Amino acid sequence: MYLDEAWRILVANRIRSLLTILGLIIGVGAVVAIQVLGTSMAGAVNGALGTFADNTFIIFPDATQRNVRQAAIRLSDLPALRAIPGIQDALPIEQFQDLVRVGHNVARERIGAEGAIPFNNLPAIYGRIISSSDVALATDVCVLPYDAYTHLFPQGGDPTGQSIYVGPHRYLIVGVLSKPKQGFLNANFGGGGISIPWTTYVRNYIRGDSIFAARFVTADASDIPALELAVIAKLRALRGGAQGLAYQMFDKSQVTGSINGIFNAITLVVGLIGAVSLLVAGIGIMNIMLVSVAERTREIGVRKAIGARRAQILWQFFIEALLLCSSGCMIGMLIGLAIGGFVNAAFIVRLTGTTVAIPFAQAFGIAAGFAVIVTLAFGTYPAYRAARLDPIEALRYE
Amino acid sequence: MNNGSTQSSAAIVFERITKTYKNGTLEVPVLHGIDLVVKHGEYVAIMGPSGSGKSTMMNIIGCLDRATSGSYHLDGEDVSDLDDNALAAIRLRKLGFIFQGFNLLARTDAIKNVSLPLFYAGIGTKERERRAVAALDEVGLGDRAHHKPNELSGGQQQRVAIARALINDPAVLLADEPTGNLDTKTSADIMALFDKLHEQGRTIIMVTHDEEVASQARRIIRLRDGLIVADEQASPTTAG
């Protein structure tokens, strides 16, 4: 009864109702859209980086510094770096491209150095990955990534036991990795090519001492920030205490952290915009409810004359405000979900290759929460005014 | 003090009712001490020039306002000192209002208008509809149950308003210039309906300027300057 009367009033004044809730629609729409994007972005980042091992980090010299040559990491540094407490392994990151041949098939592929603890946690669909004895013995074996496998074995089938030829070198295929997710975050250095044991790579391909970058494996992922600093300090010490040498680091939590940081900032700004627009919308709703109470003074008088108690009048206008606010918030939620869903599908999924479920429950929670808060904050006073009217004066009102 | 049996058997008992409005520091007395007994089943017209206090008296009878002093028993119940919510409950149970301007809810069909008091009394939808249809039948509008006020003539709207006033089976039916917005022919129809209600034993109190309308009542009370100056039984043809 209260609800269908409220609905009748709102529909009878549909233009006014729509204009009144416009602010709510925009405010809730913005907040819900950013919520959807934030959730899917965070999910996408985690999904894309999911295969990058947690307990590993990379150090490389800053290429913009004046003494790049002096800063370069050297193979001969690795034993000292491996000796830092907490570091389990240190290995070079190096790769090159060359023609790779299997039987009559030839393809241009990347060949990279790999350790027993891989850069990417991709499972093998055939055979195995590089083992620690491969590294220890510098065996001539290789593991194919999925794309190289499809180039070299278009007919499919288990290729383990066959060999690939790269220039004068021959490598026994011991495994094939599963297909990685497609996305910009997977375009990482060191990963993605045909892997050979890094010791084999050093023997066959590295002529000098300096290497592109070094990768470190730690016992515990939470030690990474401290160990990164320890490694850089050690490198500077090895260069005779040259404090000016600049190094950069890369690890999973750093990437997720910086992307999440950007999103948190955006969320904060949009949240503030949303809060301001909700405040403005709330004032608009209060204004229109006061107008409505004034217009219907006589009706309120009649209702009181025929026996409506204060609480019943209060409730009627409160329900009307609630209906107004919830329609605004629900429309805003749908628009927010549509915008968020579209941007998610059109950009985030395409860029990162990760699909994240749209957070419907959260969006509904935001919309319902705003509806209740705005109603309570801005609908209570007009309803109270209506309930408090003197029936005689109200009946006399023209 | 009258004896208790008179109070409980009467619809309305006023004892030395006064009403004084305060306008800042200025006190404006409107009713100067009114004694009045209206028995169940009476049909009373209250007349008087503007400023005579008849609206104020109507508001007090209708439990929309409280007297400044004196006591008021409505249908045997002392309502002199009730608070707003208790007065609302009294209006809901014991009074039916009929206004000059009908005062129906716009965009709301006859059934919903008529059943509104039952909604405030907390009666369920089915029962409300059943009783609203019966009340509309009683005023001869059974076939207009789903019409909205703007689809009804003035006379029909006033009949809906009368059905609304009757729906809670009130002890007293209060009408404020019930024909003030109607043409002569329709007025006569409405007055005939009041006659019929009176014959069924309803207690009716009507405020009017119109001598012809007032002459339909069985008793006419004339007010002037906040006092009853005349209280006449109109015609001896019908017993009260």
Side-chain angles (χ1 to χ4, degrees):
Chain A
M1 181 77 176
Y2 285 121
L3 204 59
D4 58 56
E5 261 187 23
W7 179 250
R8 204 158 43 229
I9 297 284
L10 297 188
V11 170
N13 299 315
R14 58 183 79 80
I15 299 287
R16 181 205 276 186
S17 305
L18 199 67
L19 290 175
T20 306
I21 58 176
L22 205 56
L24 271 184
I25 294 176
I26 294 169
V28 172
V31 172
V32 166
I34 208 68
Q35 176 67 28
V36 171
L37 289 181
T39 309
S40 61
M41 194 66 193
V45 169
N46 281 326
L49 288 173
T51 58
F52 180 38
D54 287 326
N55 60 337
T56 190
F57 67 92
I58 294 165
I59 299 288
F60 51 98
D62 186 341
T64 61
Q65 62 193 314
R66 206 151 43 85
N67 36 3
V68 190
R69 196 177 294 267
Q70 192 196 0
I73 302 172
R74 297 170 195 166
L75 279 174
S76 53
D77 295 334
L78 294 182
L81 296 174
R82 225 174 265 134
I84 295 172
I87 299 280
Q88 289 192 329
D89 198 6
L91 54 147
I93 288 183
E94 278 288 343
Q95 62 172 15
F96 67 96
Q97 285 200 347
D98 204 347
L99 290 177
V100 175
R101 184 171 61 80
V102 179
H104 296 295
N105 290 326
V106 178
R108 192 169 180 81
E109 300 293 343
R110 282 183 293 149
I111 293 107
E114 184 61 284
I117 293 170
F119 198 90
N120 279 307
N121 284 327
L122 287 172
I125 53 170
Y126 293 116
R128 59 172 178 85
I129 59 175
I130 305 284
S131 71
S132 46
S133 66
D134 289 328
V135 175
L137 303 171
T139 55
D140 287 321
V141 297
C142 72
V143 173
L144 302 182
Y146 189 82
D147 57 345
Y149 165 66
T150 56
H151 301 155
L152 295 170
F153 296 92
Q155 72 281 12
D158 184 352
T160 57
Q162 301 187 50
S163 291
I164 62 169
Y165 294 88
V166 183
H169 300 290
R170 171 171 167 266
Y171 301 104
L172 178 68
I173 301 170
V174 294
V176 179
L177 297 179
S178 66
K179 190 175 179 177
K181 289 180 177 139
Q182 294 304 308
F184 70 97
L185 289 167
N186 286 316
N188 38 36
F189 39 173
I194 295 172
S195 306
I196 62 175
W198 69 267
T199 44
T200 312
Y201 190 102
V202 167
R203 185 192 66 215
N204 288 351
Y205 302 111
I206 296 185
R207 291 294 155 257
D209 194 20
S210 58
I211 53 177
F212 172 66
R215 183 159 74 87
F216 300 86
V217 178
T218 66
D220 188 345
S222 62
D223 294 339
I224 286 178
L227 288 174
E228 285 170 341
L229 297 179
V231 166
I232 291 169
K234 187 75 181 175
L235 284 169
R236 287 180 182 145
L238 290 167
R239 296 293 173 278
Q243 289 302 317
L245 298 183
Y247 293 92
Q248 291 185 346
M249 45 212 164
F250 176 88
D251 62 62
K252 184 174 176 175
S253 66
Q254 178 197 358
V255 177
T256 49
S258 64
I259 292 178
N260 287 340
I262 292 168
F263 248 85
N264 287 342
I266 296 173
T267 305
L268 189 70
V269 170
V270 173
L272 278 175
I273 294 170
V276 169
S277 77
L278 286 174
L279 182 71
V280 173
I283 292 168
I285 281 164
M286 178 137 120
N287 186 36
I288 220 70
M289 287 303 296
L290 286 172
V291 168
S292 177
V293 169
E295 278 178 351
R296 286 151 68 198
T297 299
R298 210 180 161 75
E299 176 201 317
I300 294 163
V302 174
R303 287 173 184 275
K304 290 199 143 191
I306 65 176
R309 280 178 284 117
R310 280 185 174 191
Q312 290 172 317
I313 301 288
L314 184 93
W315 195 236
Q316 179 193 341
F317 280 91
F318 193 75
I319 291 285
E320 203 176 303
L322 185 63
L323 187 63
L324 197 62
C325 291
S326 4
S327 345
C329 289
M330 289 306 142
I331 296 172
M333 177 192 78
L334 292 178
I335 292 177
L337 283 174
I339 294 174
F342 171 75
V343 175
N344 185 34
F347 299 104
I348 296 182
V349 172
R350 195 169 292 176
L351 284 175
T352 63
T354 306
T355 312
V356 179
I358 303 274
F360 288 110
Q362 265 180 26
F364 183 78
I366 291 173
F370 277 138
V372 170
I373 290 168
V374 172
T375 306
L376 283 174
F378 299 101
T380 309
Y381 176 66
Y384 172 74
R385 277 262 295 242
R388 244 191 29 173
L389 281 176
D390 174 37
I392 298 170
E393 279 171 28
L395 278 170
R396 216 181 282 145
Y397 186 86
E398 295 298 331
Chain B
M1 278 284 166
N2 293 352
N3 66 53
S5 69
T6 312
Q7 290 190 1
S8 61
S9 69
I12 288 165
V13 179
F14 265 27
E15 285 180 79
R16 291 182 293 285
I17 290 286
T18 70
K19 181 69 186 180
T20 302
Y21 289 108
K22 280 201 176 116
N23 197 348
T25 54
L26 190 69
E27 296 201 340
V28 184
V30 178
L31 297 179
H32 295 282
I34 290 191
D35 289 303
L36 174 70
V37 176
V38 175
K39 293 202 221 41
H40 285 296
E42 277 198 274
Y43 183 1
V44 182
I46 297 173
M47 297 199 68
S50 25
S52 62
K54 62 180 195 304
S55 295
T56 304
M57 190 162 153
M58 193 74 170
N59 288 338
I60 293 174
I61 293 175
C63 292
L64 293 166
D65 204 355
R66 275 175 290 260
T68 308
S69 73
S71 83
Y72 171 25
H73 285 73
L74 170 64
D75 195 26
E77 213 169 310
D78 187 352
V79 297
S80 320
D81 297 310
L82 298 180
D83 67 13
D84 285 354
N85 272 331
L87 284 179
I90 291 284
R91 293 196 293 270
L92 188 58
R93 282 189 292 124
K94 293 189 185 286
L95 293 164
F97 285 88
I98 297 154
F99 305 94
Q100 178 175 3
F102 323 135
N103 283 339
L104 300 176
L105 299 188
R107 297 180 293 273
T108 307
D109 65 13
I111 280 202
K112 283 235 167 72
N113 264 295
V114 170
S115 61
L116 192 59
L118 300 181
F119 168 68
Y120 287 128
I123 291 166
T125 317
K126 282 273 180 295
E127 173 71 3
R128 289 207 301 266
E129 283 208 2
R130 194 187 62 73
R131 282 166 67 178
V133 169
L136 283 167
D137 274 337
E138 207 181 326
V139 299
L141 277 180
D143 56 335
R144 295 284 195 278
H146 293 288
H147 287 240
K148 290 173 182 158
N150 58 356
E151 299 160 353
L152 296 168
S153 71
Q156 287 171 332
Q157 289 187 51
Q158 193 59 302
R159 280 164 191 271
V160 173
I162 292 170
R164 180 177 66 187
L166 288 173
I167 193 138
N168 55 346
D169 193 20
V172 175
L173 212 49
L174 281 173
D176 186 2
E177 300 279 7
T179 58
N181 283 13
L182 301 173
D183 61 34
T184 318
K185 166 77 179 67
T186 318
S187 293
D189 291 347
I190 294 293
M191 291 320 293
L193 180 55
F194 275 108
D195 256 358
K196 189 183 126 196
L197 294 171
H198 171 56
E199 270 154 34
Q200 290 168 355
R202 298 274 178 201
T203 309
I204 302 169
I205 299 178
M206 180 168 67
V207 168
T208 184
H209 281 103
D210 188 336
E211 285 289 347
E212 207 180 316
V213 168
S215 69
Q216 303 277 315
R218 303 301 180 266
R219 179 181 173 190
I220 298 178
I221 292 168
R222 293 181 195 278
L223 285 182
R224 184 178 293 272
D225 300 329
L227 283 170
I228 296 178
V229 293
D231 184 349
E232 50 209 52
Q233 297 290 327
S235 64
T237 48
T238 317

